[in-house]
Amino acid sequence: MSVSYSQLKAFHAVAIHGGFSRAAEKLCLSQPAISDQVRRLEAHFEVALFHRNRRQVQLTEPGRELLAITQRMFAAEAEADELLASHGALQRGSLALSVDSAVHLLPALAHFSRTYPGVRLKLAAGNSRQSLARLFDYQADLVVVGFCPEDSRLACMQLAEHPIVAFAAAGHRWAARQQLSLAELAGLPLILREQGSHTRQVLEEEMERAGLSMTQAIEVEGREAVSELVAAGVGVGIVSAAELGGDTRLCAIAIRDCNRLMPEYLVTLREHENRRIIRAFFETVRQVRTSA
């Protein structure tokens, strides 16, 4: 007996959704049916795919290896379904994106939604490191990151590039300044993004180049949290100039001796770049950039 499609589908659903009940709900099956499929798969090959306890299930090492295979398998199945269902036009489907900031894609997202109203767009927030991890785990179809990864498995398109700027609360003593230096910035309490943020990496590299070290006030996860702490007067933040937004509580301050530009790239897996829906999104981005 070889492995069956239904057993792999049951295993994949449990692994992705973190439990038998959730997997059963997603597949519209009973929990005993899902459990039986996985049990048969494990019994036939005499291998444990999950560590089970009352609260949750966790993948064993063979389970993690099998998940990597089923992710590719069901991604290929989705690609085939998309091709056959669309038959020349993207009438339905879904596209998952992971972005640090949606600002670089807003015109393209609006244009794509108008052109392909049947396609569901799903956006998740994450820094460059988190977004690439989601891409390799098949949890995202496209990601926006702050650098072009040197990886033959990836296809990239540059979206834009902007300088990095400091920003402070409107009432902060530095708010009226038009610019400051890296040395001045090094002496201020900084609100920094988590490790994995490319903006933070660029700032650290520029400080190191200038022979400076930073006074770090607090490290937080996510741009929104940084903005709220800065607005409350806790410290000074760093951001790509394009991503500061129109929050009137915040004031941008140029960094005069920081010449690095922050690029943004649209990235997908090379194995997926010929999917119709991926090609359509890349083409939409090109059209929007050309008309801008």
Side-chain angles (χ1 to χ4, degrees):
M1 170 185 151
S2 60
V3 61
S4 76
Y5 175 84
S6 59
Q7 289 171 353
L8 287 178
K9 194 171 185 68
F11 159 79
H12 185 77
V14 175
I16 290 296
H17 299 295
F20 289 87
S21 298
R22 187 65 174 155
E25 179 183 334
K26 290 292 183 179
L27 296 180
C28 299
L29 296 171
S30 68
Q31 181 176 334
I34 295 292
S35 299
D36 184 61
Q37 292 286 2
V38 174
R39 181 186 61 78
R40 287 173 180 270
L41 181 62
E42 292 178 314
H44 177 74
F45 291 99
E46 298 181 351
V47 62
L49 298 173
F50 296 102
H51 297 298
R52 296 167 171 84
N53 58 46
R54 292 183 179 180
R55 291 182 175 271
Q56 62 181 352
V57 295
Q58 293 181 322
L59 287 165
T60 62
E61 183 60 31
R64 287 192 292 271
E65 293 175 357
L66 181 58
L67 177 60
I69 295 172
T70 59
Q71 284 174 322
R72 296 194 298 270
M73 171 183 168
F74 290 114
E77 181 184 63
E79 183 177 353
D81 180 70
E82 176 189 297
L83 173 66
L84 296 173
S86 301
H87 193 63
L90 291 173
Q91 299 173 350
R92 65 183 181 91
S94 64
L95 193 61
L97 299 95
S98 182
V99 301
D100 194 6
S101 172
V103 65
H104 305 287
L105 283 179
L106 289 178
L109 288 169
H111 190 282
F112 189 86
S113 294
R114 291 192 299 269
T115 307
Y116 306 106
V119 176
R120 291 184 297 111
L121 294 174
K122 298 182 289 185
L123 269 70
N127 63 41
S128 293
R129 184 184 300 173
Q130 293 166 337
S131 293
L132 284 174
R134 288 172 182 156
L135 188 67
F136 284 122
D137 286 343
Y138 298 92
Q139 296 175 10
D141 302 304
L142 293 161
V143 299
V144 175
V145 296
F147 61 97
C148 184
E150 295 182 1
D151 193 318
S152 60
R153 296 171 295 173
L154 301 175
C156 308
M157 172 197 291
Q158 184 168 345
L159 297 173
E161 57 181 6
H162 302 276
I164 62 172
V165 297
F167 65 102
H172 192 277
R173 61 191 178 91
W174 290 92
R177 293 280 298 271
Q178 295 297 312
Q179 57 179 230
L180 50 71
S181 67
L182 285 170
E184 290 173 313
L185 191 62
L188 296 174
L190 297 177
I191 311 299
L192 297 180
R193 289 282 304 276
E194 72 283 356
Q195 293 290 340
S197 162
H198 192 59
T199 308
R200 172 174 176 165
Q201 179 183 334
V202 167
L203 177 64
E204 290 174 341
E205 291 172 355
E206 287 294 285
M207 286 288 190
E208 183 178 359
R209 176 188 59 79
L212 301 167
S213 59
M214 295 181 289
T215 302
Q216 179 177 317
I218 189 169
E219 177 182 309
V220 297
E221 185 169 346
R223 181 174 294 103
E224 292 76 13
V226 173
S227 296
E228 289 304 315
L229 286 171
V230 171
V234 178
V236 175
I238 303 294
V239 71
S240 168
E243 298 171 354
L244 185 56
D247 192 331
T248 56
R249 301 175 300 166
L250 306 173
C251 297
I253 311 167
I255 308 171
R256 63 171 172 267
D257 51 348
C258 179
N259 299 318
R260 288 277 297 275
L261 294 177
M262 279 289 296
E264 297 292 337
Y265 291 88
L266 181 64
V267 181
T268 191
L269 292 172
R270 194 166 294 280
E271 65 189 83
H272 290 168
E273 66 177 330
N274 288 323
R275 287 177 55 192
R276 182 181 297 274
I277 196 168
I278 300 293
R279 286 190 285 113
F281 194 85
F282 270 86
E283 182 57 33
T284 298
V285 171
R286 292 188 188 96
Q287 291 175 3
V288 169
R289 291 178 62 191
T290 301
S291 61

